[in-house]
Structures are given as structure tokens and as C-alpha cells.
Amino acid sequence: MTNVKVKSVAKTYGPISVLTDISTEFPEGSFTSLLGPSGSGKTTLLRIIAGFIKPDEGVIMIGNNDVTNVPVWGRNIGMMFQSYALFPHMTIAQNVAFGLERRGIKGEAARKEVDRALEMVRLSGFGDRTPKQLSGGQQQRVALARAIVIKPSVLLLDEPLSALDRRLRQEMQVELLRIQRESGLTTIFVTHDQEEALTLSDKVAILDRGRIVQIGEPETVYERPLTRFAAEFLGDSNFLSGKVENGAVRLSNGTVVRSDSALPGNGADVTLAIRPEKMSLATADGQPNRLSARITTVIYAGPVLSYILETPDGLPLKLFAQNRDGRVLREGETVSLSWSPEHTIAVAN
Amino acid sequence: MQNDQLALAQTRGSVDPRVKRPLPAWVSTTALLLPTYGWLTIAIFLPLLTMLAFSFMSATPMGKTPVEFTLKQYRAFIDQPYLLRIGFNSLMMGFWTTLFCAILGFLAAVALVRATVGKTRETLLVLILLPFWTNGLVRVFSWTMVLRENGFLDNILHMVAPDAGSISILYTRYAVVLGLVHGYLPYMILTCYIALVTIDDAIIEAAASLGARWWTILYKILIPMAAPGLISGAVLIFIPVIGSFMEPRILGGRVGVTMGTVIEDQFTQAFNWPLGASLSFTLLAVVLAIFATFSGVLRGRTAG
Ligand SMILES: Nc1ncnc2c1ncn2[C@@H]1O[C@H](COP(=O)(O)OP(=O)(O)OP(=O)(O)O)[C@@H](O)[C@H]1O
Ligand SMILES: [Mg+2]
């Protein structure tokens, strides 16, 4: 139960720079998700923290200890793998006791710890079974018990739930969060799934091509993306580009858009991101930001309606509307969109 | 769509009068098993049965002496007690060869699986299998060149220490075991390799993350998980080694009298096939007894 610091970590494989100057801190007891597209370096960063990969540069601190040169077995980490990675030739109890044995905890003391851990993952009484006799979800819970029973300094999870089907996955998310809260373990969680990242985490870190482009609380990252990539990768966004003019932005079609974000000086190029659900189809509600657009596609998904639209000058837009009154607009209709300056975020390209 | 197919199937069924009835299960099972069992019968059971028959004869049936049914061949170990010592030595030879093969083969397989990837791994595997492809006689005689007095080994020693004596181990049991290990090691590497490649990297990483160092991973993870490979390798090596006669004869000289050479002598020199056959079957019985005990012990341990 300690914090983890990563300082100026870099890793290259031959000519490819996989991680570039990563510096961040994972506070004690926090649950942080590493989110990013495939190949962005999530696994590499996690494995550097675990000690399976040595960084070319930089320092890893667990608590107050510099562990950069400490091998995996000396780092006191708990790890969970996508493939469960249970020891198939041992019983569940032996699996969970493995890490305790390495720490010299044996016999009655070990048995108690094992029982406690199995109880925590709701698998009491499964100790004598072998991994093969358990379902995927149960196996992953054993893996979790095995990882937390050693009271690791940090819990590292590399897409541990992606082998499970949707329902089991959601169940496990709840379990994982409960256990993380109960144990207070500093947790770093790699995932592809943005929804998973948003619902589970205290903090979300977005990686792009080996850099952390943004790290913060889920709401902050979602509501105030710093870069175009972050705005696009986490959720959906509409992008408008233009030039700054008297504290507002003039788009190429002449429309002036207001934003509460801090804008650069007059004449500078700027990109604005607006979430599709923040735009509304209501024409007269006093919002200063307006655009008119033609509906090209309507996607009816029950509670939510998605509209794909196009402005007269060919800019594509997306809009999500609550299906409140059961009224669906038709394709080909021209509508007026409006949104608030508060939801107009200036992002870096 | 589904309905269409159903309708189609029905019309076809009614139009075609020669509707195929599935064969009874026992027919297809027999047909499937026949090649295997047929081959086993021709290649193994028939020759073995012939030998078993020989072992109850008083003399080789091709000779002039009249042949009678007798059990006397099976009394050889009682009538000639020196055979007991030879038998024991052969078992020890098998034991040491299997043990060294197991240690070296397992470590080599671990290195092969864990330290290399892709193409290099396959190339190395082929190199390891080379002793298999060389003629056994050539392989064994090349060892005499290395091990004899003033051989390759001595020459190297004398380059470093000119006054040292000879360290020739030719015509000792060490030389025999060395030659046997060299010849049979590939079996063990292969069986262990096959068992080890199936182990997921994540399992080893999980062990390391829980605090296991390399030797703990070796004893607690790799060896138990690759045990089937070790056992089949041991079986594959132990049986032919205790019956081997080429290596003991060439590398062992006077000390190289083993069950293998004694049995070979019965067939090639003494023309006493019944004795050769009975000795073979006695040896086979002993080996089976050893394996039975061993597997019983293993099973008892895993159960307990
Ligand atoms: N051992 C290696 N040798 C060469 N390149 C590697 C190696 N390991 C990873 N890479 C490269 O590093 C980059 C980052 O890989 P990493 O596995 O960290 O991505 P990731 O974000 O976990 O992706 P995914 O979501 O697909 O798991 C990739 O481009 C990958 O090809
Ligand atoms: Mg990955």
C-alpha cells in the first residue's frame, strides 16, 4: 500500500521508441487505468513497473524505494494476467499460498491467509479444487486472490477481464472495485475498454504512441480533454477549427463560436471539441453557439438517438439525443444545432 | 432460410431412394482402429511372440539338435550367478545414463524454450538432433578417438599441463555412460521441449511476481509441469540403454559386459537363441517391475 512513481521512463526496441519520457505518479490507494489504442505502450509501461522489462532510461519508485534495478521477485507486486496464469498442477489453495510460501509464511498462518483471500473473492470452499475445475470467471478471481494475499505494494492488471464475456466482465468489474476499495491497494489497470476505464478508475491515463497525453479523474479527462487525440479516443467528439478573433473563434464558414476555454491570442489557429451529447437540436434556447446542418443518417438505439449531420460547407457532425418524446427526426431534414460555450473545449492538435 | 434447407432436405430424402443409413458404431470403430492394431500385431506382437516361443525351447530350432519344451532357460540367473552382477551393472548403467540425460536434457530444453525465440529456436533444435542422424557406430568410435590415451582429451590436457599423466577414461564405465548419454540425450531434450513449450509465459511471470526466483520456478513450476515429458523421456532412454551392446562393447572394453552384450552374444556368437530370448524377457520383466513400482510411488505421492 504505497504510491508508485515513474520518472522520465523511456524504452526503445531497435529504432522504435515505444515509451518516451513518461513521468507520472500513482497515488497510494488509487485505481488508475492506462487507456490507449493498441501499440500505444500500455503493456510495456506496466511491465516496466512490474520489472519484467528494464527501461532504457528513467526511474521507478515504489514507495520510497528506487526499484529500477530490483528484479521482479523482489518488488512485492501483485499481478493479474489476461490468461489467468494459474498454476495448473496445484490446487486453488496451493496457488494462493504460493506467494506466501515465498515469504516464509507456512502452515496454519498460511492457511488462514489463504482462507481469508478466498473468502474475499467469494470462493470459500474451492481450495481443494484444481484450476481446470473452475470457470473462467472463477479462475480470474483465484488469480486476484493469489495476487492480493501477499499484500503487494501495488496491484498490476493487464487487461485481466478481456477474456471474459460481457456479463461476467461487468460482474468482475464490480468485484474488482469492491476488493480494491476494501484492500486499499494502489492499482494500475490496463484496458482497451473506455467504459471500463471510466467506471472503475479514480484516475485515467491516456497513452498515445508512447506518451501519456493526459492523466486525471475520469470526469476531468472526459469533460476537459487536453488534446484532439484524448477527445477522440475517450468518447466521441465533434471538431471545429478556426481562428481566434476577439476572444471567440471564427470558423472558416464565418460562424463565430464562443468557448469558455482559455484561447490563444488573436489570429491563432485553434481546434474546438464538442461532445455529441452536449449539442442539442432545440433551436431557440438562447445558446450563443449555433450551426445549421442537414441530417444524413439517423441511428435509432432505443434510449439514445444518434444523428450524423453535415453542415452546408461539408463539415461532418455527430449528435446524441435522449429519446424523451419518441420523436425521431428524418434523414434529409435541415436542423439548427446549439450548444453552450462551457462545453466548447479548445484542444491541442 | 432454415425452412428452405429443411424443405430441400425433405424433398431430397423422398426423391433419392438410396438413403444412406449410418454404419453401426462398432463397424466404424473397428475400421478406424484396424490399421493401428494391425501394424502393432505385425511389427511388435508377432516377433515378440516368436521370441517368447523360442525362450521355452531347449535349443535353437534351426540347428540339428532336437528341440524340446523346457523352462531351463529361465533358470540362467540361478545357474550362472555372475549374470546377476551383470544385470545389476546394466541397470546401474541405465540409471546413470537416464539421470544424466534427464538433468542435461531438461536444462537444455529449458534454455531452448526460454532463452530463444522463433527461428533460432528451431535451428538449435535441429543441431541438437544431429547425433540422431549420425551413424551410431561412427558416433561411438569417434568417442574412442577423444577418450583414448593420447587422444583428443589428453592432447588438450597436455597443451595446458605438459607433465600431467593421461586422463583417458576409455574402457571404463564412465566412458560407456558418456557415450550412451551422448546418443540418447536428444530423446530427453525432445520430450522435455515438447512439454515445456506448452507452458504459458504468463505462468512463469506470475510465479516471479509472487516472489519466486529462478530455482523456485524450476522446482515448483517447470519440473512438475514438464513431468510427463521427463517421464516419457526416461522410459524412452532407460529401456534401450539397459539392452544396449554397441556402446558398452566399444567404449567399455573388458568392463563393458552388460546384459545387452550377453544377449547379443547368445544370438550372434553362441547360437543359443532360446537363452538370448529368455534373458531378454527376464530383463523386460525386471524393467516393467521397476516402472510399475516407480509409477505406483509417483501416483501415491501426487495423491497424498
Ligand atoms: N519485445 C518487443 N520487441 C519489439 N517491439 C516490441 C516488443 N514489445 C512491444 N513492442 C512494440 O512496442 C509497442 C507497444 O507495445 P505494447 O504491448 O506496450 O502495446 P499495448 O498498448 O499494450 O497494446 P495492446 O493494447 O495491443 O496490448 C508496439 O508497437 C509493439 O510492437
Ligand atoms: Mg497490451
Side-chain angles (χ1 to χ4, degrees), chain A residues 3 29 78 110 115 122 131 133 148 150 163 178 184 196 207 228 234 257 269 291 333 343:
Chain A
N3 63 345
D115 286 348
R122 301 183 201 278
Q133 297 167 324
I148 59 173
I150 58 171
R178 175 181 62 81
E196 194 167 87
L207 269 83
R228 187 184 173 120
L234 193 66
V257 174
D269 286 317
L291 271 177
E333 270 183 70
H343 298 137

Side-chain angles (χ1 to χ4, degrees), chain A residues 47 73 77 83 89 101 103, chain B residues 200 205 208-210 220 225:
Chain A
R47 292 171 66 81
W73 51 262
I77 49 166
S83 59
H89 57 295
E101 249 171 74
R103 285 157 179 74
Chain B
D200 183 2
E205 290 176 352
S209 76
L210 291 165
K220 295 264 175 181
M225 282 186 74

